[in-house]
Amino acid sequence: MKKSITPLPTVGLDVSEKYLHACEVSVDGEIEETSRFRNTEPKLTERFSKLPRRRIIVEVGSHSRWIAELLTSFGHEVMVVDPRRLKLISGTLYKDDKLDAQMLALLGWEVPHRLKTVALRTRDHQMALTLVRTRATVVEARTKLINAIRGLLKPYGVRIPKEGRSSSFCTYIREEIDPELAALLGPMLWSLESMNESVNAYDNKVDALLPKLAPDALHLTTVTGVGALTVLYFVALVGDPNRFAKSRGIGPYFGLCRRRDDSGDHESELGITKAGDRYMRALLANCATFILGPFGPDSDLRRWGLR
């Protein structure tokens, strides 16, 4: 059944790093204006702050959150849509920003109820995501630095024992290898130690933020193998859990359901969709690996997983 949506002048907004392309369609479906302007808050304010209420269609992307928040504050109805459901744009052979804005506007005017919208996160949830992703970036850089040092030492026949902590890695180099060689690696070791301090600081912030942001989710950390980092990231990504009709919808949201390519009597056997956040899947996989692995303590969850 077609939903009843109030007719409004509709604007399709194609967002790129430097510029915005806007196409406006009247209530009668006529293209009235197409414009291009800088992707900055002052230009958006100048363009939309004094306009009567519009329905504005924006594809989800790096800039969509703050743009949608700003346009909503001007009284407009903003729809942030999933580009994977817009094959009329992504699949066209003649694609440019002006035509993309026009297509967004026409779809928003003709079939807004058919567009797959994306929920925007609150500032608190977005800040939590930034915290976890910043930590992940530092950890990745630390790993690359450690691997680079190992590679630099191989021509000298030095093999550093694998340690669980990178602080032990720095200590071994300073105390066990040739002093002249260790001195050459000194700046890299200082960077490594600085990264260790940063990761510890981020971990402390995660532990402090979780009880404030999601006290109801604290009980998840009682599961051996599930830490505050995983729970905080999970909470921040899900946002408002009421937007999921059933709890089973969380799995597909994180790409943890199989892809389908069925036709007629043929039922495909494909891998998971891998939609959603890659780092969240990596954290969940780490938790599951520990729970089901040789060091996981016996529990109902472990027995269920092994079964």
Short mmCIF file of all heavy atoms in Angstrom, two decimals, residues 47 127 208 234 305:
data_model
loop_
_atom_site.label_atom_id
_atom_site.label_comp_id
_atom_site.label_asym_id
_atom_site.label_seq_id
_atom_site.Cartn_x
_atom_site.Cartn_y
_atom_site.Cartn_z
N ARG A 47 21.86 29.30 1.14
CA ARG A 47 20.98 28.71 0.11
C ARG A 47 19.64 28.25 0.68
O ARG A 47 18.61 28.38 0.02
CB ARG A 47 21.72 27.54 -0.54
CG ARG A 47 20.92 26.71 -1.55
CD ARG A 47 20.67 27.50 -2.81
NE ARG A 47 20.10 26.67 -3.85
CZ ARG A 47 18.84 26.23 -3.88
NH1 ARG A 47 18.00 26.57 -2.92
NH2 ARG A 47 18.42 25.48 -4.89
N MET A 127 30.29 10.62 18.60
CA MET A 127 31.54 10.84 19.33
C MET A 127 32.11 9.51 19.81
O MET A 127 33.33 9.30 19.81
CB MET A 127 31.29 11.77 20.52
CG MET A 127 30.98 13.20 20.14
SD MET A 127 32.42 14.09 19.51
CE MET A 127 33.29 14.39 21.05
N ALA A 208 35.31 4.63 30.77
CA ALA A 208 34.57 5.69 31.46
C ALA A 208 33.29 6.07 30.72
O ALA A 208 32.29 6.45 31.34
CB ALA A 208 35.46 6.92 31.63
N PHE A 234 29.31 -1.34 19.51
CA PHE A 234 28.02 -1.94 19.15
C PHE A 234 26.87 -0.98 19.45
O PHE A 234 25.99 -0.74 18.62
CB PHE A 234 27.84 -3.25 19.93
CG PHE A 234 26.56 -3.98 19.64
CD1 PHE A 234 26.48 -4.89 18.60
CD2 PHE A 234 25.43 -3.77 20.41
CE1 PHE A 234 25.31 -5.58 18.34
CE2 PHE A 234 24.25 -4.45 20.16
CZ PHE A 234 24.19 -5.35 19.12
N GLY A 305 27.51 -22.42 21.18
CA GLY A 305 28.27 -22.13 19.98
C GLY A 305 28.95 -23.35 19.40
O GLY A 305 28.96 -23.55 18.19
#
